[in-house]
Amino acid sequence: MNDLRAVAPLDPGALRLAPKVLLHDHLDGGLRPATVLDLAHEVGYGDLPADDAESLARWFRESADSGSLVRYLETFTHTVAVMQTAAALARVARECAEDLADDGVVYAEVRFAPEQHLTAGLSLDEVVEAVLDGFAEGVAAAADAGRTIVMRCLVTAMRHAARSREIAELAVRFRHRGVVGFDIAGAEAGYPPSRHLDAFEYMRANNAPFTIHAGEAFGLPSIHEAISFCGTDRLGHGVRVIDDISLPAGSDLAAHTFAGAELGDVANYVRDKRIPLELCPSSNVQTGAVASIADHPFNVLARLRFRVTVNTDNRLMSDTSMSKEFITLHDQFGYGWADFERFTVNAMKSAFVHFDERLALIDDVIKPGYAVLIG
Ligand SMILES: O=c1[nH]cnc2c1ncn2[C@H]1C[C@H](O)[C@@H](CO)O1
Ligand SMILES: [Zn+2]
């Protein structure tokens, strides 16, 4: 019989069609540049560093390219400033759902810190409600455009502040309305995850999952605390787990196998327990967590069979998307569709929605989607 099946070329068009799962994306790091301008105009915010969309997009990308997490985080002052009303939050959330769906993301957990959106008088609950309303509108608009996406939310507490227990309670209060977990973010050095133990204990006592930004700007001790003392379900970044892996001298980071690699106790625990790594390649280069994409341990971790997932972190600051992160990894490490299917299934298995929902997306959406591309 004639076999007409063929592997689809790995180009931007096909990548946009590939089903993708996004676990680590910040709502306040993913605004459209034009929306930042519109909202600033509406609320009378006069401190934006540029006044046209193209220059503003460039400013975010270049300023975030600082090699320092602390300087990278300073750019959020402008996005958070224009996200203080229910209407603004809902608009940003709606556009986020539409943009992700347009890029072929079929399931997303988008996070933000409700405590940063209270300056115009909203309550924590009102902030979350506005975002969830916006997601629902975006999902409906995407469906009208022929795209199906499931949008869920993670609420983040800022690690330098002292509201984590309250935010964990907020996560549990909204657990049946679209909030599927809790996170801590912000500057890592000086703010270890164990400062927020009571929040993590509250989540665990309620059988509710959480992730922790750890092992990005700070190394292994932060990962160790997050898994051993806090009991995190996933690691936000976790990229510095590589510090606990020794490779034979002269190893090529783009190799297919890493025979002879030796794992320390922390790295072994992360791999043994299948703790998902929410890796964000472009963001990691910008914040200086790694020197370049070529130096990124993504491939080492993937080949050593850690549960790696691909993420955007902040689409505005990194001028990125899931498709762009996939292309970057393809160009650097030569990955093909089967690899991207594995990373996507990894991510879906690691999602915070219930098991039956994860399975349905894997069996009904992800596998059939890649079967078409692989041919
Ligand atoms: O990569 C990150 N590391 C630590 N904190 C981050 C990162 N990206 C964004 N944030 C912070 C800045 C945002 O205002 C906050 C909530 O989304 O989370
Ligand atoms: Zn992040």
Side-chain angles (χ1 to χ4, degrees), residues 74-323:
E74 283 165 11
T75 61
F76 287 79
T77 312
H78 300 296
T79 55
V80 167
V82 301
M83 295 169 69
Q84 297 297 333
T85 63
L89 285 160
R91 172 172 173 183
V92 171
R94 171 171 55 76
E95 293 177 354
C96 169
E98 290 188 59
D99 292 350
L100 295 181
D102 189 58
D103 188 41
V105 174
V106 296
Y107 174 88
E109 288 174 10
V110 175
R111 64 188 76 191
F112 67 103
E115 69 199 63
Q116 299 192 122
H117 302 275
L118 307 177
T119 59
L122 292 177
S123 66
L124 291 173
D125 287 52
E126 285 168 340
V127 170
V128 175
E129 278 158 10
V131 170
L132 293 173
D133 286 350
F135 283 162
E137 285 171 25
V139 168
D144 288 344
R147 294 270 186 183
T148 305
I149 183 167
V150 175
M151 291 293 293
R152 294 290 180 264
C153 182
L154 304 180
V155 286
T156 293
M158 299 309 290
R159 54 204 308 157
H160 61 268
R163 298 189 79 156
S164 51
R165 168 66 186 248
E166 230 180 317
I167 304 304
E169 288 171 10
L170 183 68
V172 170
R173 200 152 63 243
F174 277 83
R175 72 190 307 176
H176 301 299
R177 284 186 275 168
V179 175
V180 294
F182 169 69
D183 163 53
I184 60 166
E188 193 174 0
Y191 302 103
S194 51
R195 279 183 91 229
H196 303 282
L197 262 188
D198 62 334
F200 303 127
E201 277 166 9
Y202 180 84
M203 293 301 285
R204 289 209 305 274
N206 283 279
N207 306 113
F210 58 92
T211 178
I212 296 180
H213 276 76
E216 180 189 19
F218 205 65
L220 217 47
S222 179
I223 296 182
H224 178 242
E225 278 202 8
I227 56 179
S228 308
F229 301 154
C230 307
T232 195
D233 295 287
R234 303 195 308 232
L235 286 166
H237 301 287
V239 63
R240 299 296 351 146
V241 75
I242 196 68
D243 296 349
D244 201 32
I245 300 175
S246 56
L247 299 176
S251 292
D252 169 8
L253 293 188
H256 283 231
T257 57
F258 289 90
E262 284 181 20
L263 277 63
D265 292 339
V266 171
N268 264 321
Y269 189 86
V270 170
R271 188 172 67 167
D272 291 348
K273 294 277 184 185
R274 319 302 300 136
I275 296 175
L277 300 174
E278 302 164 0
L279 297 173
C280 310
S282 296
S283 162
N284 291 158
V285 175
Q286 287 186 299
T287 63
V290 300
S292 67
I293 291 292
D295 290 313
H296 201 288
F298 187 100
N299 184 56
V300 177
L301 297 168
R303 302 288 184 192
L304 290 175
R305 300 303 297 266
F306 281 77
R307 187 175 279 184
V308 295
T309 68
V310 182
N311 299 277
T312 48
D313 207 13
N314 298 294
R315 286 168 289 115
L316 172 64
M317 286 73 183
S318 297
D319 184 22
T320 195
S321 65
M322 281 298 279
S323 289

